[in-house]
Amino acid sequence: MSKRAAIQHIDFEQWAHLAQQDPHTFEQLRQRLLEAYIARSSSTHQDRLRRLQWRIDRLREQASTPMSACVQISNLMWDTFDQLGMAYKNPDTFQPEKCPQADKSAAVLPFKSR
């Protein structure tokens, strides 16, 4: 079965029901499905896909609501799409480190011991 065919066989209603009735099992199956998809990808893309999925998972964990997570993931997608557009329009001068997403920084706070 191809990757696309496997994704097309996901029944949204069944997954939504499972997420409501048994969130733990839903999460286990979601992770297995994602890992299987990544594992079937070319070896040159697997590392990048795993890093992207890690980032998405952190956004989901930190979001206060599922809708907030959806918005943040959507923003990540559009930021990446904008970078792709800049690279396409100006391939000789495009500098990924100067993209708006790369300008974000944060202070690293030390952990307090109890």
Side-chain angles (χ1 to χ4, degrees), residues 59-92:
L59 287 173
R60 290 179 67 228
E61 286 172 4
Q62 295 172 356
S64 56
T65 65
M67 182 57 75
S68 175
C70 183
V71 169
Q72 291 178 48
I73 294 166
S74 179
N75 288 339
L76 175 64
M77 179 197 66
W78 283 112
D79 288 346
T80 304
F81 186 73
D82 288 343
Q83 288 180 25
L84 180 62
M86 286 187 270
Y88 179 75
K89 290 177 187 173
N90 304 304
D92 296 329

mmCIF file of all heavy atoms in Angstrom, residues 59-92:
data_model
loop_
_atom_site.group_PDB
_atom_site.id
_atom_site.type_symbol
_atom_site.label_atom_id
_atom_site.label_comp_id
_atom_site.label_asym_id
_atom_site.label_seq_id
_atom_site.Cartn_x
_atom_site.Cartn_y
_atom_site.Cartn_z
ATOM 1 N N LEU A 59 4.734 21.995 20.149
ATOM 2 C CA LEU A 59 3.694 23.019 20.029
ATOM 3 C C LEU A 59 2.381 22.519 20.608
ATOM 4 O O LEU A 59 1.686 23.253 21.322
ATOM 5 C CB LEU A 59 3.500 23.430 18.561
ATOM 6 C CG LEU A 59 4.590 24.280 17.936
ATOM 7 C CD1 LEU A 59 4.341 24.447 16.436
ATOM 8 C CD2 LEU A 59 4.680 25.630 18.611
ATOM 9 N N ARG A 60 2.038 21.277 20.314
ATOM 10 C CA ARG A 60 0.799 20.696 20.835
ATOM 11 C C ARG A 60 0.823 20.615 22.354
ATOM 12 O O ARG A 60 -0.171 20.900 23.021
ATOM 13 C CB ARG A 60 0.576 19.297 20.257
ATOM 14 C CG ARG A 60 0.237 19.297 18.775
ATOM 15 C CD ARG A 60 0.056 17.894 18.217
ATOM 16 N NE ARG A 60 -1.125 17.273 18.792
ATOM 17 C CZ ARG A 60 -1.147 16.040 19.293
ATOM 18 N NH1 ARG A 60 -0.063 15.287 19.277
ATOM 19 N NH2 ARG A 60 -2.249 15.540 19.783
ATOM 20 N N GLU A 61 1.971 20.210 22.916
ATOM 21 C CA GLU A 61 2.088 20.089 24.375
ATOM 22 C C GLU A 61 1.963 21.441 25.074
ATOM 23 O O GLU A 61 1.381 21.538 26.148
ATOM 24 C CB GLU A 61 3.443 19.474 24.746
ATOM 25 C CG GLU A 61 3.559 18.008 24.467
ATOM 26 C CD GLU A 61 4.976 17.510 24.675
ATOM 27 O OE1 GLU A 61 5.857 18.289 25.106
ATOM 28 O OE2 GLU A 61 5.217 16.317 24.402
ATOM 29 N N GLN A 62 2.543 22.465 24.489
ATOM 30 C CA GLN A 62 2.591 23.773 25.135
ATOM 31 C C GLN A 62 1.330 24.601 24.931
ATOM 32 O O GLN A 62 1.093 25.547 25.670
ATOM 33 C CB GLN A 62 3.807 24.550 24.634
ATOM 34 C CG GLN A 62 5.115 23.902 25.040
ATOM 35 C CD GLN A 62 6.317 24.554 24.384
ATOM 36 O OE1 GLN A 62 6.184 25.443 23.567
ATOM 37 N NE2 GLN A 62 7.500 24.079 24.742
ATOM 38 N N ALA A 63 0.528 24.233 23.960
ATOM 39 C CA ALA A 63 -0.672 25.013 23.665
ATOM 40 C C ALA A 63 -1.704 24.846 24.783
ATOM 41 O O ALA A 63 -1.840 23.779 25.370
ATOM 42 C CB ALA A 63 -1.271 24.570 22.337
ATOM 43 N N SER A 64 -2.430 25.921 25.051
ATOM 44 C CA SER A 64 -3.431 25.882 26.118
ATOM 45 C C SER A 64 -4.708 25.155 25.692
ATOM 46 O O SER A 64 -5.435 24.639 26.535
ATOM 47 C CB SER A 64 -3.758 27.302 26.577
ATOM 48 O OG SER A 64 -4.194 28.089 25.477
ATOM 49 N N THR A 65 -4.970 25.115 24.392
ATOM 50 C CA THR A 65 -6.161 24.426 23.870
ATOM 51 C C THR A 65 -5.804 23.761 22.539
ATOM 52 O O THR A 65 -4.826 24.150 21.887
ATOM 53 C CB THR A 65 -7.321 25.417 23.611
ATOM 54 O OG1 THR A 65 -6.926 26.317 22.565
ATOM 55 C CG2 THR A 65 -7.699 26.201 24.867
ATOM 56 N N PRO A 66 -6.598 22.792 22.112
ATOM 57 C CA PRO A 66 -6.355 22.194 20.795
ATOM 58 C C PRO A 66 -6.422 23.233 19.671
ATOM 59 O O PRO A 66 -5.651 23.159 18.707
ATOM 60 C CB PRO A 66 -7.471 21.150 20.656
ATOM 61 C CG PRO A 66 -7.792 20.771 22.070
ATOM 62 C CD PRO A 66 -7.631 22.050 22.864
ATOM 63 N N MET A 67 -7.319 24.202 19.792
ATOM 64 C CA MET A 67 -7.422 25.236 18.755
ATOM 65 C C MET A 67 -6.149 26.080 18.711
ATOM 66 O O MET A 67 -5.664 26.431 17.635
ATOM 67 C CB MET A 67 -8.641 26.133 18.996
ATOM 68 C CG MET A 67 -8.817 27.193 17.913
ATOM 69 S SD MET A 67 -8.960 26.529 16.230
ATOM 70 C CE MET A 67 -10.604 25.906 16.263
ATOM 71 N N SER A 68 -5.613 26.393 19.875
ATOM 72 C CA SER A 68 -4.356 27.146 19.930
ATOM 73 C C SER A 68 -3.232 26.356 19.256
ATOM 74 O O SER A 68 -2.428 26.918 18.505
ATOM 75 C CB SER A 68 -3.991 27.457 21.384
ATOM 76 O OG SER A 68 -2.734 28.066 21.466
ATOM 77 N N ALA A 69 -3.181 25.062 19.510
ATOM 78 C CA ALA A 69 -2.169 24.213 18.866
ATOM 79 C C ALA A 69 -2.343 24.235 17.358
ATOM 80 O O ALA A 69 -1.364 24.352 16.606
ATOM 81 C CB ALA A 69 -2.273 22.783 19.391
ATOM 82 N N CYS A 70 -3.582 24.156 16.906
ATOM 83 C CA CYS A 70 -3.868 24.171 15.467
ATOM 84 C C CYS A 70 -3.391 25.475 14.838
ATOM 85 O O CYS A 70 -2.761 25.468 13.775
ATOM 86 C CB CYS A 70 -5.363 23.979 15.249
ATOM 87 S SG CYS A 70 -5.843 23.899 13.523
ATOM 88 N N VAL A 71 -3.665 26.590 15.498
ATOM 89 C CA VAL A 71 -3.248 27.898 14.982
ATOM 90 C C VAL A 71 -1.725 27.985 14.931
ATOM 91 O O VAL A 71 -1.142 28.448 13.944
ATOM 92 C CB VAL A 71 -3.851 29.041 15.828
ATOM 93 C CG1 VAL A 71 -3.220 30.379 15.489
ATOM 94 C CG2 VAL A 71 -5.365 29.094 15.640
ATOM 95 N N GLN A 72 -1.060 27.516 15.983
ATOM 96 C CA GLN A 72 0.407 27.578 16.012
ATOM 97 C C GLN A 72 1.032 26.697 14.932
ATOM 98 O O GLN A 72 2.005 27.090 14.285
ATOM 99 C CB GLN A 72 0.918 27.168 17.394
ATOM 100 C CG GLN A 72 0.592 28.181 18.468
ATOM 101 C CD GLN A 72 1.069 27.738 19.825
ATOM 102 O OE1 GLN A 72 2.206 27.316 19.968
ATOM 103 N NE2 GLN A 72 0.197 27.814 20.818
ATOM 104 N N ILE A 73 0.474 25.526 14.730
ATOM 105 C CA ILE A 73 0.986 24.633 13.687
ATOM 106 C C ILE A 73 0.721 25.233 12.311
ATOM 107 O O ILE A 73 1.572 25.171 11.418
ATOM 108 C CB ILE A 73 0.374 23.228 13.830
ATOM 109 C CG1 ILE A 73 0.863 22.578 15.129
ATOM 110 C CG2 ILE A 73 0.709 22.353 12.620
ATOM 111 C CD1 ILE A 73 0.084 21.349 15.549
ATOM 112 N N SER A 74 -0.432 25.852 12.138
ATOM 113 C CA SER A 74 -0.746 26.530 10.883
ATOM 114 C C SER A 74 0.239 27.673 10.629
ATOM 115 O O SER A 74 0.725 27.848 9.500
ATOM 116 C CB SER A 74 -2.177 27.061 10.916
ATOM 117 O OG SER A 74 -2.478 27.741 9.730
ATOM 118 N N ASN A 75 0.550 28.440 11.664
ATOM 119 C CA ASN A 75 1.526 29.531 11.526
ATOM 120 C C ASN A 75 2.897 28.995 11.139
ATOM 121 O O ASN A 75 3.592 29.588 10.301
ATOM 122 C CB ASN A 75 1.614 30.347 12.812
ATOM 123 C CG ASN A 75 0.394 31.210 13.030
ATOM 124 O OD1 ASN A 75 -0.348 31.520 12.100
ATOM 125 N ND2 ASN A 75 0.174 31.604 14.272
ATOM 126 N N LEU A 76 3.294 27.875 11.725
ATOM 127 C CA LEU A 76 4.562 27.239 11.373
ATOM 128 C C LEU A 76 4.565 26.861 9.897
ATOM 129 O O LEU A 76 5.541 27.103 9.175
ATOM 130 C CB LEU A 76 4.781 26.001 12.247
ATOM 131 C CG LEU A 76 5.996 25.142 11.926
ATOM 132 C CD1 LEU A 76 7.291 25.903 12.146
ATOM 133 C CD2 LEU A 76 5.961 23.865 12.766
ATOM 134 N N MET A 77 3.448 26.300 9.441
ATOM 135 C CA MET A 77 3.341 25.913 8.033
ATOM 136 C C MET A 77 3.460 27.134 7.122
ATOM 137 O O MET A 77 4.201 27.125 6.141
ATOM 138 C CB MET A 77 2.009 25.213 7.766
ATOM 139 C CG MET A 77 1.825 24.799 6.322
ATOM 140 S SD MET A 77 0.122 24.424 5.888
ATOM 141 C CE MET A 77 -0.680 25.996 6.062
ATOM 142 N N TRP A 78 2.753 28.219 7.453
ATOM 143 C CA TRP A 78 2.785 29.414 6.605
ATOM 144 C C TRP A 78 4.155 30.081 6.644
ATOM 145 O O TRP A 78 4.617 30.606 5.621
ATOM 146 C CB TRP A 78 1.675 30.388 6.992
ATOM 147 C CG TRP A 78 0.352 29.925 6.471
ATOM 148 C CD1 TRP A 78 -0.708 29.487 7.196
ATOM 149 C CD2 TRP A 78 -0.031 29.806 5.095
ATOM 150 N NE1 TRP A 78 -1.730 29.104 6.369
ATOM 151 C CE2 TRP A 78 -1.350 29.292 5.073
ATOM 152 C CE3 TRP A 78 0.604 30.077 3.892
ATOM 153 C CZ2 TRP A 78 -2.038 29.059 3.887
ATOM 154 C CZ3 TRP A 78 -0.091 29.830 2.711
ATOM 155 C CH2 TRP A 78 -1.383 29.329 2.713
ATOM 156 N N ASP A 79 4.828 30.081 7.795
ATOM 157 C CA ASP A 79 6.188 30.635 7.863
ATOM 158 C C ASP A 79 7.110 29.866 6.921
ATOM 159 O O ASP A 79 7.902 30.460 6.186
ATOM 160 C CB ASP A 79 6.746 30.565 9.291
ATOM 161 C CG ASP A 79 6.107 31.556 10.238
ATOM 162 O OD1 ASP A 79 5.420 32.496 9.755
ATOM 163 O OD2 ASP A 79 6.287 31.408 11.457
ATOM 164 N N THR A 80 6.989 28.552 6.940
ATOM 165 C CA THR A 80 7.811 27.710 6.070
ATOM 166 C C THR A 80 7.464 27.945 4.601
ATOM 167 O O THR A 80 8.348 28.016 3.743
ATOM 168 C CB THR A 80 7.625 26.227 6.449
ATOM 169 O OG1 THR A 80 7.931 26.068 7.829
ATOM 170 C CG2 THR A 80 8.532 25.329 5.629
ATOM 171 N N PHE A 81 6.190 28.098 4.326
ATOM 172 C CA PHE A 81 5.741 28.366 2.954
ATOM 173 C C PHE A 81 6.297 29.712 2.472
ATOM 174 O O PHE A 81 6.750 29.829 1.325
ATOM 175 C CB PHE A 81 4.209 28.365 2.910
ATOM 176 C CG PHE A 81 3.650 28.493 1.525
ATOM 177 C CD1 PHE A 81 3.711 27.429 0.639
ATOM 178 C CD2 PHE A 81 3.055 29.674 1.119
ATOM 179 C CE1 PHE A 81 3.186 27.541 -0.645
ATOM 180 C CE2 PHE A 81 2.532 29.795 -0.162
ATOM 181 C CZ PHE A 81 2.595 28.723 -1.040
ATOM 182 N N ASP A 82 6.282 30.731 3.348
ATOM 183 C CA ASP A 82 6.847 32.035 2.991
ATOM 184 C C ASP A 82 8.341 31.919 2.686
ATOM 185 O O ASP A 82 8.840 32.536 1.745
ATOM 186 C CB ASP A 82 6.624 33.048 4.110
ATOM 187 C CG ASP A 82 5.178 33.498 4.223
ATOM 188 O OD1 ASP A 82 4.407 33.299 3.258
ATOM 189 O OD2 ASP A 82 4.823 34.054 5.278
ATOM 190 N N GLN A 83 9.052 31.135 3.488
ATOM 191 C CA GLN A 83 10.485 30.934 3.242
ATOM 192 C C GLN A 83 10.713 30.266 1.890
ATOM 193 O O GLN A 83 11.624 30.638 1.150
ATOM 194 C CB GLN A 83 11.098 30.071 4.343
ATOM 195 C CG GLN A 83 11.228 30.770 5.669
ATOM 196 C CD GLN A 83 11.829 29.855 6.706
ATOM 197 O OE1 GLN A 83 12.547 28.908 6.395
ATOM 198 N NE2 GLN A 83 11.535 30.130 7.961
ATOM 199 N N LEU A 84 9.890 29.294 1.575
ATOM 200 C CA LEU A 84 10.000 28.617 0.278
ATOM 201 C C LEU A 84 9.774 29.607 -0.857
ATOM 202 O O LEU A 84 10.495 29.602 -1.857
ATOM 203 C CB LEU A 84 8.990 27.468 0.201
ATOM 204 C CG LEU A 84 8.974 26.654 -1.088
ATOM 205 C CD1 LEU A 84 10.312 25.963 -1.307
ATOM 206 C CD2 LEU A 84 7.847 25.634 -1.039
ATOM 207 N N GLY A 85 8.779 30.483 -0.695
ATOM 208 C CA GLY A 85 8.510 31.499 -1.707
ATOM 209 C C GLY A 85 9.683 32.448 -1.886
ATOM 210 O O GLY A 85 10.043 32.807 -3.011
ATOM 211 N N MET A 86 10.299 32.862 -0.761
ATOM 212 C CA MET A 86 11.464 33.751 -0.850
ATOM 213 C C MET A 86 12.621 33.059 -1.557
ATOM 214 O O MET A 86 13.315 33.663 -2.373
ATOM 215 C CB MET A 86 11.888 34.208 0.551
ATOM 216 C CG MET A 86 10.956 35.229 1.166
ATOM 217 S SD MET A 86 11.602 35.887 2.726
ATOM 218 C CE MET A 86 10.896 34.717 3.864
ATOM 219 N N ALA A 87 12.838 31.782 -1.244
ATOM 220 C CA ALA A 87 13.926 31.032 -1.873
ATOM 221 C C ALA A 87 13.661 30.859 -3.368
ATOM 222 O O ALA A 87 14.581 30.924 -4.182
ATOM 223 C CB ALA A 87 14.085 29.666 -1.202
ATOM 224 N N TYR A 88 12.407 30.651 -3.741
ATOM 225 C CA TYR A 88 12.050 30.476 -5.144
ATOM 226 C C TYR A 88 12.247 31.774 -5.933
ATOM 227 O O TYR A 88 12.777 31.762 -7.040
ATOM 228 C CB TYR A 88 10.596 30.006 -5.249
ATOM 229 C CG TYR A 88 10.131 29.831 -6.674
ATOM 230 C CD1 TYR A 88 10.540 28.733 -7.427
ATOM 231 C CD2 TYR A 88 9.291 30.764 -7.267
ATOM 232 C CE1 TYR A 88 10.118 28.572 -8.738
ATOM 233 C CE2 TYR A 88 8.866 30.609 -8.577
ATOM 234 C CZ TYR A 88 9.288 29.515 -9.305
ATOM 235 O OH TYR A 88 8.873 29.366 -10.605
ATOM 236 N N LYS A 89 11.822 32.903 -5.341
ATOM 237 C CA LYS A 89 11.919 34.190 -6.028
ATOM 238 C C LYS A 89 13.353 34.693 -6.122
ATOM 239 O O LYS A 89 13.727 35.334 -7.100
ATOM 240 C CB LYS A 89 11.065 35.232 -5.311
ATOM 241 C CG LYS A 89 9.583 34.998 -5.457
ATOM 242 C CD LYS A 89 8.794 36.013 -4.654
ATOM 243 C CE LYS A 89 7.314 35.682 -4.671
ATOM 244 N NZ LYS A 89 6.542 36.536 -3.766
ATOM 245 N N ASN A 90 14.141 34.419 -5.097
ATOM 246 C CA ASN A 90 15.514 34.938 -5.046
ATOM 247 C C ASN A 90 16.487 33.841 -4.620
ATOM 248 O O ASN A 90 17.102 33.933 -3.550
ATOM 249 C CB ASN A 90 15.596 36.102 -4.048
ATOM 250 C CG ASN A 90 14.617 37.194 -4.371
ATOM 251 O OD1 ASN A 90 14.617 37.722 -5.471
ATOM 252 N ND2 ASN A 90 13.758 37.518 -3.421
ATOM 253 N N PRO A 91 16.680 32.825 -5.431
ATOM 254 C CA PRO A 91 17.523 31.701 -4.996
ATOM 255 C C PRO A 91 18.976 32.080 -4.741
ATOM 256 O O PRO A 91 19.630 31.471 -3.899
ATOM 257 C CB PRO A 91 17.407 30.693 -6.145
ATOM 258 C CG PRO A 91 16.962 31.491 -7.319
ATOM 259 C CD PRO A 91 16.158 32.630 -6.772
ATOM 260 N N ASP A 92 19.470 33.106 -5.427
ATOM 261 C CA ASP A 92 20.873 33.479 -5.255
ATOM 262 C C ASP A 92 21.119 34.310 -4.005
ATOM 263 O O ASP A 92 22.232 34.345 -3.489
ATOM 264 C CB ASP A 92 21.378 34.258 -6.478
ATOM 265 C CG ASP A 92 21.351 33.400 -7.738
ATOM 266 O OD1 ASP A 92 21.529 32.170 -7.613
ATOM 267 O OD2 ASP A 92 21.137 33.954 -8.824
#
